[in-house]
Amino acid sequence: MRFYYLLTFLLFLLITSSCTKDVKQVDIIKEKSLNLQFNEAYTEGLEALDGGDVLYAAKKFNEAESLFPQSDWAPRAALMAAYSYYTQDYYGDAIAELIRFKKVYPFYKQLDYVNYMLAICYYEQIVDEEKDLQSLISSKKYFKIVINEYPESDYTIDAKFKVDYINDILAAKEMYIGRYYLNKKKWIGAINRFKTVIDDYETTIYTEEALHRLVEVYYILGLSVEAEKYAMLLGYNYKSSEWYENSYSIFNKDYEISNKIGKKQKEKNSYILEKFKSLFE
């Protein structure tokens, strides 16, 4: 009887072992098959991209990613899909792919590149600075992510350069609207626009003028304390600026008159000197 039980147990172990091996073999075969399918789809994507068929290329890269999502190459395939759209200016599709990528692969080691590409996709859609405000803002948002979160990235220097350019455009827009309000005597609107330039775009070339315009508006409104405050700020930072000279002349009308007389006198003296020199030529 004991021999019978022992024989039954050994048969059970043999069958179980055989089934386990079969399962392992099936898993290995399946994984090899997935690898092969992934490689085929990825290769087709590269060939299509090289041939200029970017839509088919993106489709094949997406297919490769979905075939073997647990592989190390899956995020690369997803990025190649986004890049395929970008090469032919399908910016909306490229942006959608990159935003999806950030959700699916939040710990990918090259997220600096992903954010930089997102910024570039928005940046290259800027055709008319007067109209493409959302593209400017979105582009700046992702460039700032690169600058703040990846300061050592290869893309940081270019991101800083482009943010400075975007700030110049946004500041120019604020100044244009501020001047319009000033001409229409809409004082509050003008003040808010000029303050925005000072607060948000202080490194741009428009800061000096914005400070002067605030001096001008507050002086017109009779708020001399506020006007003097911004005049002092302008003088402290930009004393050699023509805008400081303009602000100074608002408080000192005699300065404006004497300055004009002085310029005329200099021109007259220069003319006399030239005439004198000509006598000896």
Side-chain angles (χ1 to χ4, degrees):
M1 181 66 70
R2 286 181 181 178
F3 176 76
Y4 172 76
Y5 283 131
L6 181 60
L7 182 62
T8 303
F9 180 69
L10 289 173
L11 284 171
F12 174 77
L13 287 178
L14 183 63
I15 292 168
T16 305
S17 175
S18 176
C19 289
T20 303
K21 287 180 181 179
D22 289 343
V23 170
K24 287 182 179 179
Q25 286 177 351
V26 169
D27 287 342
I28 291 170
I29 291 169
K30 184 178 180 182
E31 188 168 316
K32 285 183 178 178
S33 176
L34 285 173
N35 264 320
L36 182 62
Q37 291 178 66
F38 178 94
N39 289 337
E40 287 177 351
Y42 194 90
T43 302
E44 282 187 59
L46 289 175
E47 290 173 352
L49 180 60
D50 188 54
D53 190 352
V54 297
L55 296 179
Y56 185 72
K59 177 183 175 183
K60 297 308 292 185
F61 287 129
N62 284 143
E63 183 183 320
E65 180 194 8
S66 62
L67 280 168
F68 208 175
Q70 68 271 31
S71 73
D72 293 336
W73 279 85
R76 299 186 190 186
L79 279 181
M80 287 302 294
Y83 178 75
S84 299
Y85 287 126
Y86 167 76
T87 59
Q88 292 296 320
D89 301 343
Y90 289 101
Y91 295 118
D93 294 301
I95 289 167
E97 283 288 339
L98 291 165
I99 290 174
R100 181 185 71 84
F101 184 97
K102 290 184 66 174
K103 292 178 181 178
V104 177
Y105 307 104
F107 304 109
Y108 187 64
K109 60 183 180 180
Q110 292 180 330
L111 281 178
D112 58 332
Y113 171 76
V114 176
N115 284 292
Y116 178 77
M117 281 300 298
L118 268 167
I120 288 293
C121 285
Y122 284 111
Y123 185 83
E124 293 189 1
Q125 292 184 78
I126 302 168
V127 178
D128 184 347
E129 292 87 348
E130 295 296 323
K131 297 178 181 178
D132 299 330
L133 186 59
Q134 190 54 54
S135 293
L136 284 164
I137 293 171
S138 297
S139 180
K140 181 181 176 180
K141 170 188 170 183
Y142 288 106
F143 280 133
K144 292 289 283 184
I145 290 175
V146 175
I147 294 167
N148 295 331
E149 297 185 16
Y150 311 96
E152 303 301 321
S153 170
D154 292 338
Y155 310 105
T156 302
I157 293 176
D158 188 58
K160 287 179 179 178
F161 174 80
K162 287 183 168 61
V163 165
D164 286 343
Y165 174 68
I166 290 169
N167 282 341
D168 279 342
I169 294 172
L170 293 173
K173 196 177 187 72
E174 293 293 330
M175 288 302 300
Y176 176 82
I177 298 172
R179 291 188 208 103
Y180 172 81
Y181 285 144
L182 182 59
N183 291 332
K184 295 294 182 180
K185 298 183 180 180
K186 295 183 177 181
W187 312 121
I188 301 302
I191 288 170
N192 289 336
R193 295 293 179 167
F194 297 138
K195 280 187 174 181
T196 296
V197 173
I198 296 167
D199 294 338
D200 298 343
Y201 311 112
E202 61 180 4
T203 60
T204 68
I205 60 174
Y206 298 98
T207 305
E208 300 171 37
E209 184 187 351
L211 286 168
H212 167 70
R213 297 299 180 189
L214 285 170
V215 173
E216 191 177 13
V217 174
Y218 281 123
Y219 188 84
I220 291 170
L221 293 174
L223 301 172
S224 57
V225 175
E226 286 295 311
E228 288 173 9
K229 181 182 79 171
Y230 285 106
M232 289 176 64
L233 187 60
L234 179 57
Y236 181 79
N237 291 285
Y238 310 99
K239 195 165 187 177
S240 60
S241 167
E242 64 173 302
W243 294 111
Y244 175 66
E245 189 175 314
N246 292 341
S247 290
Y248 187 83
S249 67
I250 289 175
F251 294 100
N252 189 348
K253 300 301 181 184
D254 292 335
Y255 168 81
E256 185 176 7
I257 295 168
S258 63
N259 194 41
K260 287 179 180 178
I261 294 171
K263 285 181 180 178
K264 286 182 179 178
Q265 189 63 41
K266 285 180 182 178
E267 290 172 3
K268 180 181 178 182
N269 291 341
S270 177
Y271 173 76
I272 293 170
L273 181 61
E274 289 299 321
K275 285 292 184 183
F276 180 75
K277 285 181 180 179
S278 67
L279 296 175
F280 299 92
E281 292 178 353

